[in-house]
Amino acid sequence: MARTKEFNEDQALDKAIEIFWHKGYNGTSAQDLVTHLGLSRSSLYDTFGDKQKLFAQSLQRYQKNAQNQIIDLLEQSDNIKETLKEIFKQAVIESLEDRITKGCFMVNSSVELAMHDEEIAKIVKNNSQIMEDVFTKAVQKGQDAGHISKVNSATVLARFIFNTYSGIRVLARTGEKDKQVYDDIIKAMFSIL
Amino acid sequence: MARTKEFNEDQALDKAIEIFWHKGYNGTSAQDLVTHLGLSRSSLYDTFGDKQKLFAQSLQRYQKNAQNQIIDLLEQSDNIKETLKEIFKQAVIESLEDRITKGCFMVNSSVELAMHDEEIAKIVKNNSQIMEDVFTKAVQKGQDAGHISKVNSATVLARFIFNTYSGIRVLARTGEKDKQVYDDIIKAMFSIL
DNA sequence: CTAATTCAGGAACGATTGTTCCGTATTTTT
DNA sequence: AAAAATACGGAACAATCGTTCCTGAATTAG
């Protein structure tokens, strides 16, 4: 009946994530997308609708990936505190390596768009909710195992951890390359876990 | 020799701060500026140069104000821990009251522009440096007075406090209106001071 | 092979972007 | 009062914005 797509839709989405992440929504033009995704304007619009829809799909895909990564690590962990240390260590490595300083796509998007675009706001809130739940369960597990202090409740610590994570991602976006700054923040954070 | 300006330059800058803060740099058009500042295109360009320069001046002015406010509070304080609590309490109030959820102009700008505009990057880094210094001195004072724990160094705590502050401002920008979330984060933070 | 389908490429759309320029009005100094 | 200087408003600029549409090539099913 018809010819098959010459490009992989998910691969195109990954390219879209890259450029939106780097330049933001308003900073990325249709031409940028055409050039970076390597497909024609018509294919782009036929496949993804419009710029806003493409952005939303990109952010969704990013969220699922990032989320699953953390969920897997925490669920398979038998020492939550150590796993959290690994997660933050990884965030620092990414921040320092990041030659084009992208920060976190979710944080960037919420700052730029959450208040102007309801669909993006929903994605962001959904992400926050899921992350809070995941961290809460993980902290609870850590507290039960005696690896994490019970001075503060699991919910309090979960929200606190997620907030520190956001802050670090903003710091990365500003281009901070001094590892000591990240390490200090993380050291302080872990002193209450 | 010449007629005098019919508008107050600082008042115009305050208007510019408002709209840039709300809509971001790329999200604010020249027409938005003309409408919101209430002066003509020519006056705007004659006075402030161009959009980028106007933005930079707005951010500079915002920084000076926000900075002085915190410096004054901390320098006059005789109980740093309590003063810090006041500062964070105020940030929460602003976040909850904020009907158009603007977050922090400095945080928003660093996320959107720091990596694409060297001048903005400089302003952001300068701000971070000053804030770190101010917080470090304040924490030191608090530690000397016995109000703040000496388990972590003043620099570590200063960076940590500033990072938590950034995170909270991002949270505000996402439109979070649940006071409990802010209070939990702050509670956790203060448990190590 | 033919017909049906959908691809890719690029021209072209009107709208909006940031910016410039010009004529007029207004004010201040000489 | 005259002249110099500058603010003002708005028209107009080229460039770019996101998007649509048209053309022809490519692929698959019957």
Side-chain angles (χ1 to χ4, degrees):
Chain A
M1 296 279 256
R3 66 191 277 200
T4 52
K5 272 197 164 61
E6 292 188 3
F7 62 93
N8 179 287
E9 206 162 307
D10 281 342
Q11 281 177 6
L13 268 184
D14 284 336
K15 294 269 190 189
I17 290 174
E18 272 183 19
I19 192 156
F20 277 134
W21 192 350
H22 176 53
K23 296 191 160 194
Y25 178 78
N26 286 314
T28 304
S29 69
Q31 186 55 47
D32 286 336
L33 290 167
V34 168
T35 303
H36 198 78
L37 302 212
L39 43 102
S40 68
R41 278 174 140 68
S42 50
S43 302
L44 203 155
Y45 275 85
D46 284 351
T47 309
F48 299 106
D50 59 19
K51 187 183 166 185
Q52 195 276 345
K53 285 188 186 117
L54 174 56
F55 187 90
Q57 290 177 62
S58 303
L59 189 58
Q60 288 268 23
R61 180 171 166 82
Y62 171 86
Q63 185 234 22
K64 242 173 216 170
N65 287 348
Q67 195 175 278
N68 287 339
Q69 221 172 313
I70 289 185
I71 290 178
D72 287 350
L73 282 172
L74 288 175
E75 283 189 349
Q76 288 168 19
S77 163
D78 48 17
N79 187 331
I80 294 292
K81 199 169 186 174
E82 288 308 314
T83 305
L84 283 174
K85 276 184 185 170
E86 275 307 312
I87 289 172
F88 276 86
K89 197 173 170 183
Q90 193 56 39
V92 172
I93 291 173
E94 281 171 20
S95 300
L96 295 175
E97 275 181 351
D98 197 2
R99 296 239 102 258
I100 48 172
T101 58
K102 299 199 299 286
C104 167
F105 189 27
M106 187 63 65
V107 170
N108 299 352
S109 301
S110 54
V111 170
E112 184 184 6
L113 295 177
M115 58 185 307
H116 301 294
D117 186 316
E118 266 198 51
E119 190 179 0
I120 303 300
K122 266 188 194 169
I123 297 175
V124 169
K125 291 211 173 171
N126 178 252
N127 178 253
S128 303
Q129 189 58 57
I130 291 176
M131 292 299 280
E132 184 180 317
D133 291 348
V134 168
F135 277 130
T136 301
K137 274 184 197 162
V139 169
Q140 217 142 29
K141 203 166 98 180
Q143 286 176 327
D144 291 343
H147 294 131
I148 293 179
S149 158
K150 288 188 179 177
V151 171
N152 288 291
S153 77
T155 302
V156 166
L157 290 181
R159 287 170 173 170
F160 170 69
I161 292 168
F162 185 55
N163 188 69
T164 302
Y165 190 78
S166 294
I168 283 179
R169 291 314 206 149
V170 170
L171 195 60
R173 181 77 173 170
T174 68
E176 178 63 65
K177 296 297 180 200
D178 183 352
K179 185 170 185 297
Q180 193 60 50
V181 176
Y182 295 93
D183 288 343
D184 284 352
I185 294 163
I186 293 169
K187 180 189 172 194
M189 182 188 93
F190 274 103
S191 71
I192 69 165
L193 298 192
Chain B
M1 295 283 257
R3 68 191 276 200
T4 51
K5 275 197 165 60
E6 289 186 6
F7 62 92
N8 179 286
E9 207 163 306
D10 282 342
Q11 281 177 6
L13 269 184
D14 284 336
K15 294 270 190 187
I17 290 174
E18 272 183 18
I19 192 157
F20 277 135
W21 191 351
H22 176 53
K23 294 191 158 194
Y25 178 78
N26 286 313
T28 304
S29 68
Q31 185 54 47
D32 286 336
L33 290 167
V34 168
T35 304
H36 198 79
L37 301 213
L39 43 102
S40 72
R41 280 175 137 67
S42 51
S43 301
L44 203 155
Y45 276 84
D46 284 351
T47 309
F48 299 106
D50 58 19
K51 187 182 165 184
Q52 195 276 344
K53 283 187 188 120
L54 174 55
F55 186 90
Q57 288 177 63
S58 303
L59 189 58
Q60 288 268 26
R61 180 170 166 81
Y62 171 85
Q63 185 235 22
K64 242 173 215 170
N65 287 347
Q67 195 176 278
N68 287 339
Q69 222 172 313
I70 290 185
I71 290 178
D72 287 350
L73 282 172
L74 287 176
E75 283 188 349
Q76 289 169 18
S77 164
D78 48 16
N79 187 330
I80 294 292
K81 199 170 186 174
E82 289 307 314
T83 305
L84 283 174
K85 278 184 185 171
E86 276 307 313
I87 289 172
F88 276 86
K89 198 173 170 183
Q90 192 56 39
V92 172
I93 291 172
E94 281 170 20
S95 300
L96 295 175
E97 274 180 352
D98 198 1
R99 296 239 102 258
I100 46 172
T101 59
K102 299 199 297 287
C104 168
F105 189 27
M106 187 62 65
V107 170
N108 299 352
S109 300
S110 54
V111 169
E112 184 184 5
L113 295 177
M115 59 183 306
H116 301 295
D117 186 316
E118 265 197 52
E119 190 178 0
I120 303 300
K122 265 188 194 168
I123 297 175
V124 169
K125 291 212 172 170
N126 178 252
N127 178 251
S128 302
Q129 189 59 57
I130 291 175
M131 292 299 280
E132 185 180 315
D133 291 348
V134 168
F135 277 131
T136 302
K137 274 183 196 161
V139 169
Q140 217 142 29
K141 203 166 100 179
Q143 286 176 327
D144 290 344
H147 294 130
I148 292 179
S149 159
K150 288 188 178 176
V151 172
N152 288 290
S153 77
T155 302
V156 166
L157 291 181
R159 287 170 173 171
F160 170 68
I161 293 168
F162 185 54
N163 188 71
T164 302
Y165 190 78
S166 294
I168 283 179
R169 292 313 208 149
V170 169
L171 196 60
R173 182 77 172 169
T174 68
E176 178 63 66
K177 295 298 179 200
D178 184 352
K179 186 170 183 299
Q180 193 60 50
V181 175
Y182 295 93
D183 288 343
D184 284 352
I185 294 164
I186 292 168
K187 180 190 173 193
M189 182 189 93
F190 273 102
S191 70
I192 70 166
L193 298 191

